[in-house]
């Protein structure tokens, strides 16, 4: 039996226990599920209060039932929703009652959204936007994901693809009428003009994105330095809670500690690393090795120095990788003896909080430059950038080849249209669908 012939169900609200839980059913047996549990179908798209019963006639819960006949639903299929009390026992009984209905099964991760995609309710860029919206931790991530869900990139890609197909039709018509004298030249001119315009638009989009794709994953800031200079205390200050153990003994931090922060809407991962020094302790040696590796991969390093101590961030470098920028942060100014450091250095007291607001403000500014302008960003994933780059390159090559022969130019235009079709998920994307939808939560 094809998976689309099966009816799927899942908890589509938060983890129990909760005040209310929503169980969603989608597929040809959705109506049968409502009649089996609630007695009869309610009016379409109208909430109806019903006492649900299992297959043995035993009551499950006093619930609200909604019935959405397809194809005008989120998945394009018949859909039912049961709004019940969110206790674990209630949900277990309800899911068990649905599961015994013939041709029903529990949904896999992302299967509701995949069915919506396969029904043409949304394209692949919108599905990716929905996934990003579900996993958004900051307001900037939320806004970017919502724009994708609303078709910001998909609408543009559909327009580009239609215009490529129109230009391709002109080029191929020139091939068909090659024996008609001036006809090919007359058709070629508007096609070339259209291709140049398309290439310029897509190239501009690719050039303007900056680090917008990184907004999904966030920026990484590493706190590094020698032992006992206050790295864990600074970590706790930035997190505004105790996430790292603070001790006067050197070598307390043996492994990398991470915390996710929201800095003015920018997602930032701050990592506290082991103090970098020469040691005979094999466990601490491993901590130092990991600290160097993570700091070299970080987008920014805060190199902590105690008071007027010598700043030697090069001690962090263990290989040829240059790593991200390094900011020198002089800690423990409350103990005295720390004069104003060189321009670009920060003076703080991690224990008292002195200088922390200025450091946070600088971090926000760095994040703004790092992520670039994301409000109008079209590209949010590496997959999208790769396919747009392929389309742009094919358009460029078609312009170079059009004078040599319409056949070669037409082939490049077909390649450009194909790349945009893959971007939207409308041609030959089976290999990427599983990778995208398996990351969704079950019930979405």
């Amino acid at each position: 039996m094809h998976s689309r012939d099966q009816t799927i169900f899942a908890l589509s609200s938060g983890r129990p226990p909760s005040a209310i839980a929503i169980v969603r059913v989608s597929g040809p047996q959705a109506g049968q599920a409502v009649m089996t549990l609630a007695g009869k179908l309610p009016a379409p798209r109208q909430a109806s209060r019903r006492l649900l019963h299992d297959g043995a006639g035993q009551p499950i819960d006093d619930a609200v039932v909604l019935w959405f006949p397809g194809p005008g639903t989120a998945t394009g299929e018949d859909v039912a929703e049961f709004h019940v009390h969110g206790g674990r026992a209630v949900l277990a009984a309800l899911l068990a009652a649905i599961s015994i209905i013939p041709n029903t099964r529990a949904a896999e991760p992302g299967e509701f959204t995949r069915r919506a995609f396969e029904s043409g309710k949304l394209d692949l860029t919108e599905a990716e936007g929905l996934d990003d919206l579900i996993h958004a931790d900051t307001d900037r991530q939320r806004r970017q994901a919502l724009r994708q869900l609303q078709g910001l990139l998909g609408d543009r890609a559909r327009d580009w693809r239609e215009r490529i197909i129109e230009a391709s039709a002109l080029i191929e018509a020139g091939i068909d009428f090659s024996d008609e004298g001036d006809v090919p030249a007359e058709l070629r001119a508007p096609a070339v003009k259209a291709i140049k315009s398309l290439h310029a638009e897509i190239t501009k989009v690719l050039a303007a994105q900056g680090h917008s794709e990184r907004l999904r994953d966030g920026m990484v800031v590493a706190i590094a330095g020698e032992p006992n200079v206050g790295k864990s205390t600074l970590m706790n200050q930035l997190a505004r809670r105790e996430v790292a153990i603070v001790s006067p003994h050197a070598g307390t931090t043996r492994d990398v500690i991470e915390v996710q922060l929201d800095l003015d809407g920018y997602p930032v991962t701050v990592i506290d690393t082991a103090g970098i020094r020469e040691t005979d302790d094999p466990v601490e040696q491993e901590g130092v090795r990991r600290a160097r590796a993570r700091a070299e991969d970080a987008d920014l390093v805060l190199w902590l120095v105690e008071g007027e101590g010598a700043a030697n961030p090069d001690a962090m470098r263990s290989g040829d990788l240059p790593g991200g920028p390094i900011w020198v942060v002089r800690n423990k100014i409350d103990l005295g003896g720390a004069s104003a450091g060189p321009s670009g250095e920060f003076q703080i007291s991690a224990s008292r909080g002195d200088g922390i607001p200025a450091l946070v403000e600088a971090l926000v500014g760095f994040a703004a430059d790092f992520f670039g302008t994301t409000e109008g960003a079209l590209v949010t994933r590496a997959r999208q950038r790769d396919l747009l780059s392929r389309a742009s390159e094919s358009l460029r090559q078609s312009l170079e080849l059009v004078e040599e022969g319409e056949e070669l130019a037409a082939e490049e235009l077909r390649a450009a249209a194909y790349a945009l079709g893959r971007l939207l998920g409308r041609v030959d994307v089976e290999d990427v669908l599983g990778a995208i939808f398996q990351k969704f939560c079950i019930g979405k």
Side-chain angles (χ1 to χ4, degrees):
M1 179 180 293
H2 192 274
S3 62
R4 292 302 297 269
D5 296 327
Q6 297 177 317
T7 297
I8 57 174
F9 63 90
L11 173 66
S12 294
S13 55
R15 182 179 302 175
S18 60
I20 299 294
I22 301 174
V23 173
R24 180 180 296 159
V25 184
S26 179
Q29 292 294 93
Q32 182 61 47
V34 174
M35 290 188 288
T36 299
L37 274 68
K40 64 178 182 178
L41 289 175
R45 294 174 177 78
Q46 292 186 20
S48 177
R49 182 179 175 184
R50 301 289 177 85
L51 181 62
L52 305 182
H53 294 82
D54 62 18
Q58 295 298 313
I60 297 175
D61 191 22
D62 190 5
V64 172
V65 180
L66 292 102
W67 163 242
F68 305 94
T73 64
T75 62
E77 305 173 321
D78 290 345
V79 173
E81 286 186 359
F82 299 95
H83 296 228
V84 297
H85 295 96
R88 291 186 177 88
V90 172
L91 286 170
L94 176 57
L95 296 175
I98 297 174
S99 67
I100 63 175
I101 298 172
N103 296 329
T104 64
R105 62 172 174 81
E108 298 175 356
E111 192 167 5
F112 285 93
T113 305
R114 179 160 181 165
R115 291 192 176 196
F117 164 75
E118 292 174 344
S119 298
K121 297 297 181 179
L122 72 173
D123 63 43
L124 202 53
T125 66
E126 292 165 342
E128 289 171 326
L130 177 58
D131 182 38
D132 291 344
L133 188 62
I134 292 170
H135 295 99
D137 292 321
T138 74
D139 192 55
R140 293 180 190 273
Q141 288 177 317
R142 177 191 63 79
R143 294 201 301 267
Q144 177 172 281
L146 186 59
R147 288 193 298 271
Q148 286 287 44
L149 178 57
Q150 292 173 335
L152 182 68
L153 175 59
D155 291 345
R156 291 287 297 277
R158 272 185 289 274
D159 176 64
W160 289 332
R161 190 165 185 263
E162 290 174 3
R163 290 160 59 190
I164 289 173
I165 292 172
E166 290 172 1
S168 180
L170 292 174
I171 294 290
E172 293 185 15
I175 299 172
D176 294 337
F177 294 101
S178 59
D179 57 347
E180 298 293 331
D182 294 335
V183 171
E186 292 175 357
L187 295 174
R188 187 188 306 135
V192 169
K193 182 179 179 181
I195 296 169
K196 286 182 178 179
S197 176
L198 283 163
H199 181 256
E201 288 181 30
I202 296 177
T203 301
K204 183 178 180 180
V205 166
L206 289 170
Q209 296 309 304
H211 288 77
S212 58
E213 297 102 308
R214 292 294 305 272
L215 189 62
R216 294 178 56 247
D217 302 320
M219 181 180 76
V220 177
V221 176
I223 303 175
E226 296 179 356
N228 206 30
V229 293
K231 297 185 298 296
S232 298
T233 306
L234 176 57
M235 172 82 142
N236 292 340
Q237 277 282 0
L238 294 175
R240 298 184 181 179
R241 58 190 175 90
E242 301 235 347
V243 295
I245 298 174
V246 176
S247 166
H249 302 291
T252 301
T253 302
R254 297 295 185 97
D255 205 348
V256 175
I257 301 172
E258 298 186 5
V259 64
Q260 312 297 321
L261 301 183
D262 178 347
L263 293 182
D264 194 31
Y266 295 111
V268 177
T269 299
V270 178
I271 57 177
D272 177 21
T273 62
I276 295 177
R277 66 171 178 177
E278 297 299 325
T279 176
D280 295 328
D281 185 336
V283 177
E284 191 175 354
Q285 286 177 350
E286 176 62 16
V288 171
R289 186 195 66 78
R290 294 185 183 186
R292 285 186 169 130
R294 290 304 304 272
E296 287 178 348
D297 291 337
D299 302 304
L300 173 67
V301 176
L302 303 181
W303 183 263
L304 232 62
V305 179
E306 187 176 35
E308 292 186 329
N312 184 27
D314 289 337
M316 179 194 67
R317 307 300 193 194
S318 60
D320 297 330
L321 295 176
I326 300 176
W327 291 358
V328 175
V329 181
R330 295 190 176 275
N331 188 27
K332 304 184 181 181
I333 60 173
D334 55 310
L335 299 181
S339 58
S343 176
E345 294 189 358
F346 294 87
Q347 305 278 323
I348 69 167
S349 168
S351 61
R352 287 196 326 197
D354 299 353
I356 298 297
L359 178 59
V360 170
E361 183 179 355
L363 287 172
V364 171
F366 181 86
D369 292 336
F370 177 83
F371 290 113
T373 302
T374 60
E375 289 301 317
L378 293 181
V379 179
T380 59
R381 295 193 178 212
R383 184 192 77 89
Q384 299 167 359
R385 176 174 290 279
D386 177 59
L387 290 169
L388 280 182
S389 297
R390 293 187 195 182
S392 176
E393 177 61 18
S394 293
L395 289 172
R396 185 192 65 78
Q397 291 188 20
S398 71
L399 289 171
E400 293 181 355
L401 295 171
V402 71
E403 297 298 333
E404 300 179 18
E406 285 88 351
E407 295 88 349
L408 297 175
E411 182 59 31
E412 291 298 336
L413 290 177
R414 281 192 287 271
Y418 181 77
L420 293 179
R422 284 180 60 85
L423 175 67
L424 295 166
R426 296 307 173 206
V427 292
D428 190 27
V429 291
E430 193 63 31
D431 56 331
V432 301
L433 293 184
I436 290 174
F437 290 112
Q438 71 182 5
K439 296 178 182 178
F440 279 65
C441 54
I442 294 175
K444 192 62 183 171

